[in-house]
Amino acid sequence: MTEINGLKDSAAIAGIGATEFSKSSGRSEMRLACEAVQAAIADAGLQPSQIDGMVTFSADTNPEIEIARNLGIGELSFFSRIHHGGGAACGTIQQAVLAVNSGVADYVVCYRAFNERSGRRFGTGVQDRPPSPTAEMAHFSWYSPFGLLTPAQWVAMFARRYMHEYGATSEDFGAIAVADRKHAATNPSAWFYEQPITLEDHQSSRWIVEPLHLLDCCQESDGAQAMVVTTPERARDLAQPTVIVNNAAQGAGVDQDMMTSYYRPSITGLPEMGLIARQLWNTTGLGPDDIQTAVIYDHFTPLALPQLEEFGFCARGEAKDFIKDGAIEIGGRLPINTHGGQLGEAYIHGMNGIAEGVRQVRGTSVNQVPGVEHALVTAGTMVPTSALVLGVDR
C-alpha cells in the first residue's frame, strides 16, 4: 500500500446538484441524471460546455455521451465507471481527482441516477436473474441454493455473528436508525422529513430477516445526485466556497466477495474499509480526532458499527458503546448522517452522502455541525469500497 500518493488536497468539489428524492419520479432515469448534472454545474457557476469529464457507476443506465448531448456539454476528454454497487460512490470522486490532476480534464462531473423504487428494485435480490455462465453470476450459486437471495439476507449473517462476538443488540442497531431519522426529520429534502422515530418504533417494526427489522434497512429511492470536481485553483474562482478533497481511497480486502465474504477467518470486521482507513489517515496526516462529522454508509444499520471501528473512532467491538446516549446525533461527539442518511433522506447509492459532506464543510447543512474542519464520507460495505475526507480550504 502506498502511503504517500501525491494527491493530498489536490482537488476540490465545486458544485453539487440533485433532483427531489421520491418513490415514483414519473420520469426516466436519463432525465433524472440530466437534471442533477445540470444543477451541479449551475451550483458551481459553470456552463455545461466547460465540462470535459464524467464519472459514474458501472450500474448506471445513463451513458455519459447521452447526458453530454442533452445538456450541450460537447467534447469529453475523460470518462470512467466504477464497479461494485454502493462501494463505487467515493471512488467516482477519486477518479475525478486523478483526472484533474493528470491534466486530462479540467471539470469532471460525477453522478448517479436511478428509479430504484419505481423501476428495478435492488432489494428484491437475485432470485429473478437468469442463469449466466460468468464469474460474477456464478458467485451467487454458492449462496442462493441455501436461501441467501437478497442483500438483507446477506447482511443478516454478518449481523448475527457480530452480535454473538461483541454482545451487540438489536437496540444498538436501532440507535443508528433513530439518529438518522432524527436528522432526516429536520431536512426538507429527506423523504422522511418531519417523521422521526423512537427506539420503540424500531423494535416494533416488522422483521425482514432476523436480526434485521424493517427500520434497519435503507430505503428504495428514485432520484439523482451529481457533483463537479476540479482543481482547488479553479474552484476558488467559482461560485461556491471551495471544499477540498483531502484525499479519497478505494479498497478490496483479502478473499473479498460481493456482500458474502463468509470464508475469512473472521466475518465481523470490514477489512476493505480498514484498508481505506489506513490509506486516508496515512496520506492526509489526519486521524479520527480530526473529524467533526461523518457520513457513514447506512444501507443496513449493523454495518455502521464496524465502520466506526475500522476508522479508529473506537476499538473493535466497542461501537455499541461509542454510539450510546446521543453520541452520533447533533451535539454528540461524532454526529453522523446529518442529512438523514440512506435510511432517512434517500438511497442514492451513497452519492447524496458526499453532497452532505460538502454542505457540512461549506457550513450550509440544515443540521450544521459547528466548526467543521474535516468530514469523513464512506461508501458501501461488504463489497469493494471507497471513502474520502473533505476539508475546508486553507
Side-chain angles (χ1 to χ4, degrees):
M1 182 188 70
T2 302
E3 292 197 358
I4 302 297
N5 63 16
L7 297 175
K8 178 178 181 291
D9 301 343
S10 63
I13 296 179
I16 55 175
T19 65
E20 84 289 353
F21 304 132
S22 74
K23 303 298 182 185
S24 181
S25 72
R27 52 207 195 275
S28 70
E29 294 181 337
M30 173 55 65
R31 178 165 175 175
L32 293 173
C34 288
E35 289 179 16
V37 170
Q38 187 173 43
I41 295 170
D43 184 60
L46 293 167
Q47 296 298 318
S49 59
Q50 293 175 270
I51 303 300
D52 53 0
M54 302 187 79
V55 187
T56 189
F57 293 49
S58 63
D60 203 276
T61 65
N62 305 291
E64 301 88 336
I65 54 174
E66 298 294 336
I67 297 173
R69 184 165 56 250
N70 284 326
L71 295 183
I73 286 175
E75 295 180 331
L76 293 174
S77 57
F78 176 77
F79 36 91
S80 179
R81 292 191 172 218
I82 310 296
H83 198 36
H84 305 304
C90 299
T92 66
I93 303 299
Q94 186 193 50
Q95 284 284 290
V97 170
L98 293 168
V100 299
N101 274 276
S102 66
V104 301
D106 292 336
Y107 300 101
V108 179
V109 172
C110 304
Y111 66 94
R112 180 74 171 104
F114 56 0
N115 284 320
E116 199 236 347
R117 176 67 182 188
S118 65
R120 180 196 159 204
R121 298 178 62 178
F122 287 14
T124 58
V126 299
Q127 63 267 43
D128 58 347
R129 295 185 187 179
S132 176
T134 65
E136 196 164 42
M137 292 304 298
H139 161 82
F140 294 112
S141 68
W142 291 100
Y143 310 103
S144 56
F146 305 101
L148 293 173
L149 297 168
T150 69
Q153 291 171 323
W154 302 328
V155 171
M157 184 85 76
F158 175 99
R160 183 60 79 190
R161 184 65 191 181
Y162 186 90
M163 296 168 81
H164 173 77
E165 289 198 19
Y166 299 128
T169 65
S170 174
E171 288 86 351
D172 295 325
F173 301 154
I176 302 294
V178 170
D180 276 8
R181 289 289 293 271
K182 181 177 181 179
H183 298 154
T186 55
N187 174 11
S189 296
W191 176 256
F192 285 115
Y193 178 50
E194 297 183 332
Q195 298 180 64
I197 60 169
T198 65
L199 188 58
E200 290 73 24
D201 293 330
H202 171 271
Q203 289 292 288
S204 63
S205 65
R206 64 183 175 88
W207 292 113
I208 298 301
V209 52
E210 293 188 38
L212 301 181
H213 289 275
L214 174 65
L215 294 179
D216 286 308
C217 305
C218 73
Q219 302 182 69
E220 294 173 316
S221 304
D222 289 7
Q225 180 78 60
M227 49 214 72
V228 177
V229 176
T230 188
T231 62
E233 293 76 18
R234 294 191 190 97
R236 290 176 187 128
D237 293 329
L238 299 179
Q240 299 293 345
T242 300
V243 175
I244 299 295
V245 181
N246 297 132
N247 223 328
Q250 289 182 289
V254 175
D255 203 11
Q256 180 81 62
D257 276 333
M258 281 293 292
M259 297 195 73
T260 51
S261 298
Y262 300 142
Y263 298 103
R264 292 167 167 168
S266 172
I267 68 169
T268 54
L270 298 169
E272 53 279 0
M273 198 65 82
L275 168 60
I276 288 170
R278 296 195 304 274
Q279 291 182 76
L280 288 178
W281 298 153
N282 286 337
T283 58
T284 62
L286 302 171
D289 291 342
D290 298 300
I291 303 299
Q292 289 76 44
T293 184
V295 179
I296 301 297
Y297 200 90
D298 57 337
H299 52 341
F300 296 97
T301 59
L303 292 168
L305 276 66
Q307 291 183 73
L308 295 169
E309 297 165 4
E310 296 289 357
F311 274 93
F313 293 106
C314 53
R316 186 81 65 192
E318 294 184 2
K320 66 183 187 302
D321 304 310
F322 180 86
I323 66 174
K324 287 186 183 303
D325 302 320
I328 54 174
E329 299 176 8
I330 295 295
R333 71 182 83 171
L334 183 72
I336 71 168
N337 302 344
T338 49
H339 59 318
Q342 298 178 114
L343 284 85
E345 184 183 62
Y347 177 72
I348 310 296
H349 252 163
M351 294 295 275
N352 52 319
I354 302 174
E356 177 63 8
V358 172
R359 288 187 290 266
Q360 282 290 345
V361 175
R362 285 181 178 178
T364 59
S365 172
V366 296
N367 291 308
Q368 184 62 44
V369 175
V372 172
E373 298 283 324
H374 301 284
L376 171 70
V377 184
T378 68
T381 54
M382 294 179 67
V383 297
T385 189
S386 55
L388 55 79
V389 177
L390 302 173
V392 296
D393 185 18
R394 295 304 183 195

